[in-house]
Amino acid sequence: MESMIRVNLGSLSYNIAIGAGHLDRLGELITPLKLGKKILLVSNPEIFNYYGERTRISLEQAGFDVAICTLPAGEEYKTPETLQMIYDAALKYRLERSSTMVALGGGIIGDMTGFAAATWLRGINVVQVPTSLLAMVDASIGGKTGVNHPQGKNLIGAFHQPKLVLIDPDVLQTLPEREFRAGIAEVIKYGVIWDQELFVKLEQSQGLDNIQALDSGLLQEILTRSCQSKADVVSQDEKESGLRAILNYGHTIGHAVESLTGYTVVIHGEAVGIGMVAASQIAVKLGLWDEDSDRRQFAIIEKAGLPTQLPPGLNINDILDSLQTDKKVKAGKVRFVLPTRIGEAIVTDQVTSDIIRQVLESSPVRCLA
Amino acid sequence: MESMIRVNLGSLSYNIAIGAGHLDRLGELITPLKLGKKILLVSNPEIFNYYGERTRISLEQAGFDVAICTLPAGEEYKTPETLQMIYDAALKYRLERSSTMVALGGGIIGDMTGFAAATWLRGINVVQVPTSLLAMVDASIGGKTGVNHPQGKNLIGAFHQPKLVLIDPDVLQTLPEREFRAGIAEVIKYGVIWDQELFVKLEQSQGLDNIQALDSGLLQEILTRSCQSKADVVSQDEKESGLRAILNYGHTIGHAVESLTGYTVVIHGEAVGIGMVAASQIAVKLGLWDEDSDRRQFAIIEKAGLPTQLPPGLNINDILDSLQTDKKVKAGKVRFVLPTRIGEAIVTDQVTSDIIRQVLESSPVRCLA
């Protein structure tokens, strides 16, 4: 079983190749792209330990010269300082403009490697090999790259499209369960905002809360539909001047929750889950979508084993405050993505603080503090 | 006297507005661009002291909210660390995606501000207001931005086109004479590689070695023709995949000379002057262009008061070595831009180390060591 999805962006177009065992075909799959001979493979020690040698061998067998750069794992290292480690490796290995960085890892490795590639010699090639579900269906596609500023996630970054995204579902076997569920949050998102059929498949599936609950056919379909959704949206709006903003469904309140809990209590996908529950209720309050759809979405999020309530201790005023520093603020107004029916969403800046407060104070997304 | 030049890059197109007194019209000239209300004005203390308040007033009178960020002056501060100062100001002032950074200064301020704008929130607007001749005719146009790595200039950077380049020749009155001459080196470059008429004008002009020697009409024409040359080239090849490389005429050996002397003994334009003398002789040796053209170029460079010899103490082996680390190296081969006739140049990787050595050992670009 394998699929190939095209992200259409003119001269920046590229493929997403999805298939079990693809990791060993990386070298073969990038050969037609006419990249330079030198590759810097960037990973973290744990992921490299699992998949680094297979990746390296696949590349070397296809004739590439491979150098390795491993970065410390964890969001706290997603900084300009860690970026210097990639730059230093790039210099040491004398990467040229035709050279390529390969990001082997989750969203953090992908974002940092993408940004390093975006900014080394004013832009060299990058190939994304995501190893987490979240990175597979979201972070690795669409060219958003970056590092954190001490006061905000991904504030420093660039758009830099990869030359290829290679997804091997087999590597999800080593992904911690909690991270798997967090990835499912983004899959649910695509079902709500873009792909009604995906939504229904998630609704009908027996279990969503761990990889063993999914048969490989369904997993391949979930990956393919999610990547296709993201590709559709990004192809229409690379730089997020319009449509692409709908991908932030669940992310407005989600980011605030992540940020206020220091990115440790609640991980990204979980925060998005909470954010989707909240956004769905806001949409109900505004009469944009019905309670039945809200309940159906809630049921899927619960089935995926994702949290649906704000973590204890969060202050609602702090959340409202935090929304003001979001990257998506425009002319001081907070923008929300709200579903209108299953498979469709809109962006609006017409959500008042009062409505946000009402939703955050009420069950199910009530503040437990 | 004023001119307006268009850089044609599809949706990234922009104007270069050149005219005495334009500084006071900045606010008016950017108003049609529909930029957001917030502007971060980035400069260094000396330049801000001369021109900061006029710039701020012009922007405020057009209705913009202006915050100021001044950076320490000097190439040694063109680093990722200084960049953080711009990011911190951007965060403090809560710049949004529609906000704009205005770079008021020479090439260093322009490059760093451009890169900060390229990477803050994955790219916000930048307007270039160059105050040195070098920045006016070269650095501010074409979207090359960046900072230095401890081991190489501009190794970290991005392409990020400005929304407007505003050039006010009057501000050159406060430019140190040596920097004025260094800027003239890039003007001469355009004459050699692109604009034969410009070359002839430079040949006929009475003095090129200081701003007082130039009448304002000739200065306006030199600026306009240089910017037009750069705009022509950049419009045809934004990301330097082909033609744009000819703008590196004089820069191959120039960069090596700058780098080996620690960027202090010889400033950029001077290094380009030396590099053009060398490249011209290489072109003669290869039979690409004639000795008469070589002599004519040499005469202009001398008239501009630019050095034509390598600084004392430079070792030729070190220069040959340094060429290997140049950004323009491709598959290990050093690429040279060589003139073929006045107003035309080609890029070639067919220059052997032997030929480079012969030229560097011979007069006029002989090694004085």
Side-chain angles (χ1 to χ4, degrees), chain B residues 357-368:
Chain B
R357 186 183 294 277
Q358 280 173 39
V359 162
L360 294 182
E361 280 171 348
S362 71
S363 169
V365 187
R366 69 176 179 282
C367 204
L368 295 177

Side-chain angles (χ1 to χ4, degrees), chain A residues 20-300:
Chain A
H22 264 20
L23 194 58
D24 299 310
R25 294 182 57 204
L26 176 60
E28 168 203 333
L29 286 164
I30 67 170
T31 296
L33 301 177
K34 311 261 176 243
L35 310 174
K37 216 172 148 61
K38 289 187 185 181
I39 286 182
L40 182 67
L41 175 59
V42 183
S43 193
N44 70 38
E46 192 189 6
I47 301 288
F48 190 84
N49 190 39
Y50 282 130
Y51 305 111
E53 281 309 314
R54 277 174 61 194
T55 310
R56 185 220 291 260
I57 288 166
S58 166
L59 292 168
E60 286 180 349
Q61 283 180 344
F64 293 99
D65 288 340
V66 183
I68 310 290
C69 171
T70 58
L71 307 177
E75 186 81 37
E76 68 271 33
Y77 293 106
K78 193 179 173 185
T79 62
E81 289 71 37
T82 309
L83 212 51
Q84 293 292 329
M85 296 174 63
I86 311 182
Y87 292 145
D88 290 347
L91 187 86
K92 184 178 165 196
Y93 192 54
R94 293 199 172 178
L95 292 195
E96 302 173 358
R97 284 184 178 163
S98 63
S99 302
T100 304
M101 294 187 187
V102 170
L104 175 71
I108 296 171
I109 289 292
D111 282 7
M112 278 202 289
T113 308
F115 187 59
T119 52
W120 187 250
L121 308 183
R122 298 199 189 91
I124 66 172
N125 305 311
V126 67
V127 166
Q128 295 284 353
V129 185
T131 59
S132 73
L133 180 56
L134 191 85
M136 286 177 182
V137 299
D138 186 18
S140 67
I141 307 162
K144 281 193 180 181
T145 70
V147 296
N148 299 335
H149 184 277
Q151 289 178 59
K153 270 183 83 164
N154 296 321
L155 289 177
I156 301 163
F159 286 95
H160 190 57
Q161 300 297 336
K163 295 296 174 191
L164 176 77
V165 180
L166 180 136
I167 294 175
D168 184 342
D170 285 352
V171 307
L172 294 175
Q173 297 296 338
T174 53
L175 188 70
E177 267 194 22
R178 184 177 179 191
E179 286 189 43
F180 179 80
R181 294 194 297 268
I184 289 290
E186 301 278 357
V187 172
I188 298 169
K189 179 188 81 176
Y190 294 121
V192 177
I193 64 166
W194 196 256
D195 183 345
Q196 192 187 359
E197 274 188 61
L198 174 59
F199 186 95
V200 172
K201 290 210 178 276
L202 296 174
E203 209 164 28
Q204 293 168 345
S205 82
Q206 292 305 310
L208 279 180
D209 58 341
N210 69 78
I211 180 116
Q212 276 70 36
L214 286 177
D215 78 66
S216 61
L218 183 58
L219 179 58
Q220 176 82 18
E221 183 162 7
I222 280 177
L223 289 171
T224 304
R225 283 190 171 274
S226 297
C227 293
Q228 185 69 58
S229 300
K230 177 112 190 207
D232 287 349
V233 172
V234 168
S235 294
Q236 288 178 48
D237 177 23
E238 185 196 358
K239 299 270 176 86
E240 196 165 324
S241 44
L243 178 68
R244 184 165 177 168
I246 67 167
L247 297 175
N248 293 317
Y249 178 54
H251 286 60
T252 308
I253 284 174
H255 276 159
V257 169
E258 275 184 285
S259 150
L260 291 170
T261 53
Y263 301 100
T264 50
V265 180
V266 177
I267 63 177
H268 180 69
E270 293 170 345
V272 170
I274 296 167
M276 290 193 293
V277 173
S280 170
Q281 291 181 270
I282 290 170
V284 169
K285 276 202 189 296
L286 293 179
L288 287 169
W289 90 329
D290 57 278
E291 293 196 11
D292 181 54
S293 302
D294 176 56
R295 271 190 297 270
R296 290 170 67 192
Q297 178 197 281
F298 189 83
I300 299 176

Side-chain angles (χ1 to χ4, degrees), chain B residues 10-212:
Chain B
S11 63
L12 301 177
S13 297
Y14 55 96
N15 289 329
I16 307 166
I18 308 170
H22 264 20
L23 194 59
D24 299 310
R25 293 183 56 203
L26 176 60
E28 166 202 336
L29 286 164
I30 67 170
T31 296
L33 301 177
K34 310 263 178 241
L35 309 175
K37 216 172 147 63
K38 289 186 184 180
I39 286 181
L40 182 66
L41 176 59
V42 184
S43 192
N44 70 38
E46 191 190 6
I47 301 289
F48 190 83
N49 189 39
Y50 283 130
Y51 304 112
E53 280 309 313
R54 276 174 61 194
T55 308
R56 184 219 292 259
I57 289 168
S58 165
L59 292 168
E60 286 181 347
Q61 283 180 343
F64 293 99
D65 288 339
V66 183
I68 310 292
C69 173
T70 58
L71 308 176
E75 187 81 36
E76 68 271 32
Y77 293 106
K78 193 179 173 185
T79 62
E81 290 71 38
T82 309
L83 213 50
Q84 293 292 331
M85 296 175 64
I86 311 182
Y87 292 145
D88 289 345
L91 187 88
K92 184 177 166 194
Y93 191 54
R94 295 199 170 179
L95 291 196
E96 303 175 358
R97 285 184 176 164
S98 61
S99 303
T100 304
M101 294 187 187
V102 170
L104 175 71
I108 296 171
I109 289 292
D111 282 6
M112 280 203 288
T113 307
F115 187 59
T119 53
W120 187 249
L121 309 181
R122 297 197 190 92
I124 66 171
N125 306 310
V126 65
V127 166
Q128 295 283 354
V129 185
T131 59
S132 72
L133 180 56
L134 193 84
M136 287 178 182
V137 300
D138 186 18
S140 67
I141 307 163
K144 281 195 181 179
T145 69
V147 296
N148 300 335
H149 184 279
Q151 290 178 60
K153 271 183 84 163
N154 296 320
L155 289 177
I156 302 163
F159 286 94
H160 190 57
Q161 301 296 338
K163 296 295 174 190
L164 176 77
V165 180
L166 181 136
I167 295 175
D168 184 343
D170 285 353
V171 308
L172 294 175
Q173 296 298 335
T174 53
L175 188 70
E177 265 195 24
R178 185 178 177 191
E179 287 190 41
F180 179 81
R181 292 193 299 266
I184 288 289
E186 299 280 356
V187 172
I188 297 169
K189 179 189 80 177
Y190 294 120
V192 177
I193 64 166
W194 196 258
D195 183 346
Q196 191 187 2
E197 274 187 62
L198 174 59
F199 187 95
V200 172
K201 289 212 180 275
L202 295 173
E203 209 163 28
Q204 293 168 346
S205 81
Q206 291 306 309
L208 279 180
D209 59 340
N210 70 78
I211 178 113
Q212 276 71 35

